[in-house]
Amino acid sequence: MIKAAIMGYGTVGSGVYEVITTNQKSIDKKVGQELRVQYVLDLREFPGDPVMDVLTHDFEDIINDDEVKIVAEVMGGLHPAYEFTRRCMEAGKSVCTSNKELVAEHGAELIRIAKEHQVNYLFEASVGGGIPIIRPLNSSLTADVILEISGILNGTTNYMLTKMSREGLNYDDVLKQAQEKGYAELHPEADVEGWDACRKIAILTSLASGNQVDFQDIYTEGITKLTTEDFVYAKKMRCAIKLLAVSRKVGDTYCAMVSPALIRKEHPLYMVNDVFNAVCVEGNMLGASMFYGSGAGKLPTASAVAGDMVDAARHLGKVITTFWNPEKLTLAPVSDMTHRFFVRMRSDAKDVKIFGDVEIVDADIPGEIGFLTPVMTEAEYAAKAKDLEIISMIRMEG
Ligand code: HSE
């Protein structure tokens, strides 16, 4: 029998417990022996919940039990998750996590510590919830050079943007609905300001490049400035507006960005709606591939954590190689990235021609004009837009 522990009995932690107990027989068969949850760590009490049989309030119970070989860290946040993860691995326990904050900040270091102690640090659930994307990048696609990763990596904002587009609702109303549904946090900045998607594309770019990509280096724009008028224009252009995270190979490095983007009907990400996530990966040999599914939520995320626990159980004493070195990758400047830009300006503006051969988009909105620029770099756009009164700008993808 292999003993396991779960640190944190919140949404994901209770999901992991549910996955393992519900699918116990099938999991045991796949591991080749019994995998049992011996401890669930949480400061709270859960009267009436069967978890009470294995609940502990003391981390030392887990660390001092040498028979515990696998620990799920689903507490979230940096501290004490970082310290607990380190101590578990130093004590010979593999750790499986959904904690993208911790993986983005300390991934390379924790992978190194795992290797030094002949255990594994696995983090499939940290990007795309239940969608397998970390393992494919780390094993199936290793013969390719990854040219581009583009994805809808945040379920909350995708739900909000889908609602704004379908129902013509404004930002504040959809945010309230997302909070009522339990998707958005009470303090939803991490989702709506794009920080969550930024951490996820940093993790994917680290795996694609094999070096540490600091999420703080990635240009990030959220969805807070989008208005109902933007969606009227988008419909005229037969486009959806999505919060897009992109990482593109440029020479020996990558250029990465998170921002709202206009996605044409023909693009595979156009149909990704509600809380669903999708990641398109382009390899130099493979060409395009797409990974799609439930990007957030209790059971999809728990399924990915529990899948990692099975993998860790199958690899006791063996290190699964993860291509992610601590040397920092200096990203290419965003100013060199090229796009078409959709721009809204006041209709008395005489300066549209400064952008060259623009395509006017008529959405019957009084007092303003909307147009698409030709392809240009971010730097060229910024130079032209510098002294103009721009109402809003959204990049066009592809
Ligand atoms: N807040 C995240 C989202 C949860 O909405 O996608 C999953 O990482």
Side-chain angles (χ1 to χ4, degrees):
M1 184 181 34
I2 300 173
K3 289 187 184 173
I6 301 171
M7 300 195 292
Y9 197 64
T11 306
V12 181
S14 58
V16 174
Y17 190 64
E18 190 176 330
V19 170
I20 293 183
T21 47
T22 306
N23 290 346
Q24 199 156 59
K25 268 197 197 149
S26 143
I27 287 175
D28 290 352
K29 258 195 230 159
K30 287 168 187 163
V31 171
Q33 56 181 310
E34 281 179 53
L35 178 71
R36 287 292 166 274
V37 177
Q38 187 75 12
Y39 302 98
V40 170
L41 175 69
D42 203 291
L43 293 176
R44 298 164 291 179
E45 297 288 337
F46 301 93
D49 188 319
V51 79
M52 288 303 287
D53 295 342
V54 288
L55 188 73
T56 175
H57 303 306
D58 188 358
F59 171 68
E60 301 304 321
D61 286 346
I62 296 173
I63 214 77
N64 291 330
D65 189 336
D66 289 338
E67 286 183 21
V68 171
K69 295 292 177 205
I70 296 162
V71 179
E73 183 277 292
V74 281
M75 314 165 70
L78 288 180
H79 303 287
Y82 170 76
E83 291 76 12
F84 285 5
T85 298
R86 269 195 82 135
R87 285 192 61 202
C88 282
M89 296 197 301
E90 285 162 359
K93 305 173 196 304
S94 288
V95 175
C96 308
T97 190
S98 58
N99 188 339
K100 61 243 159 177
E101 226 180 317
L102 185 60
V103 176
E105 185 89 36
H106 292 291
E109 179 198 354
L110 293 170
I111 288 165
R112 178 184 53 76
I113 293 170
K115 199 172 168 187
E116 282 167 9
H117 293 85
Q118 292 289 298
V119 295
N120 287 293
Y121 184 57
L122 303 175
F123 46 91
E124 182 60 71
S126 65
V127 180
I131 307 172
I133 179 62
I134 301 293
R135 198 167 277 101
L137 274 178
N138 199 35
S139 58
S140 324
L141 302 179
T142 44
D144 269 61
V145 172
I146 304 300
L147 302 178
E148 183 169 313
I149 300 173
S150 55
I152 294 170
L153 299 179
N154 183 267
T156 303
T157 48
N158 206 41
Y159 169 84
M160 291 172 65
L161 296 176
T162 304
K163 280 249 160 200
M164 285 176 88
S165 170
R166 283 187 185 153
E167 296 170 31
L169 297 174
N170 69 35
Y171 174 83
D172 291 328
D173 290 340
V174 288
L175 176 58
K176 215 178 284 163
Q177 287 189 14
Q179 282 170 325
E180 279 161 11
K181 286 226 167 218
Y183 296 145
E185 311 285 334
L186 194 58
H187 302 290
E189 291 80 8
D191 293 313
V192 297
E193 297 291 358
W195 305 335
D196 176 76
C198 169
R199 283 177 170 84
K200 291 169 177 169
I201 195 72
I203 294 169
L204 297 182
T205 311
S206 296
L207 290 172
S209 68
N211 285 103
Q212 171 65 26
V213 171
D214 288 343
F215 66 88
Q216 298 91 336
D217 293 347
I218 297 177
Y219 176 83
T220 301
E221 249 178 56
I223 64 162
T224 54
K225 295 196 183 88
L226 292 173
T227 62
T228 47
E229 288 80 8
D230 293 322
F231 287 88
V232 176
Y233 280 108
K235 280 211 175 106
K236 280 277 167 195
M237 291 182 271
R238 299 175 72 241
C239 286
I241 303 176
K242 301 289 182 192
L243 182 65
L244 197 71
V246 182
S247 180
R248 202 165 286 151
K249 192 157 191 335
V250 181
D252 290 334
T253 183
Y254 284 80
C255 188
M257 174 185 258
V258 175
S259 72
L262 287 157
I263 311 262
R264 286 191 193 280
K265 237 180 175 146
E266 299 74 28
H267 195 289
L269 294 176
Y270 177 88
M271 287 302 292
V272 179
N273 288 315
D274 299 312
V275 280
F276 284 93
N277 281 194
V279 191
C280 296
V281 179
E282 195 189 331
N284 68 338
M285 298 293 137
L286 165 81
S289 62
M290 178 163 154
F291 302 80
Y292 170 84
S294 300
K298 172 175 165 164
L299 290 177
T301 309
S303 155
V305 177
D308 276 350
M309 293 169 80
V310 170
D311 211 17
R314 284 168 159 178
H315 288 89
L316 286 186
K318 278 179 264 166
V319 175
I320 302 166
T321 305
T322 304
F323 182 52
W324 182 348
N325 299 312
E327 289 85 50
K328 179 182 157 108
L329 185 76
T330 304
L331 293 174
V334 160
S335 52
D336 292 343
M337 263 186 150
T338 55
H339 301 278
R340 293 186 80 186
F341 296 84
F342 169 69
V343 183
R344 287 170 54 201
M345 284 171 62
R346 285 164 34 126
S347 54
D348 56 4
K350 309 225 170 356
D351 311 296
V352 171
K353 290 232 157 55
I354 193 173
F355 291 100
D357 202 2
V358 301
E359 190 183 317
I360 301 288
V361 183
D362 186 2
D364 276 337
I365 296 179
E368 63 175 76
I369 42 170
F371 58 91
L372 268 168
T373 71
V375 175
M376 61 181 73
T377 64
E378 289 278 336
E380 282 164 344
Y381 170 79
K384 291 178 198 302
K386 188 165 59 87
D387 297 321
L388 303 178
E389 263 187 69
I390 306 263
I391 299 170
S392 71
M393 177 277 279
I394 307 175
R395 296 166 182 86
M396 170 83 85
E397 172 65 10

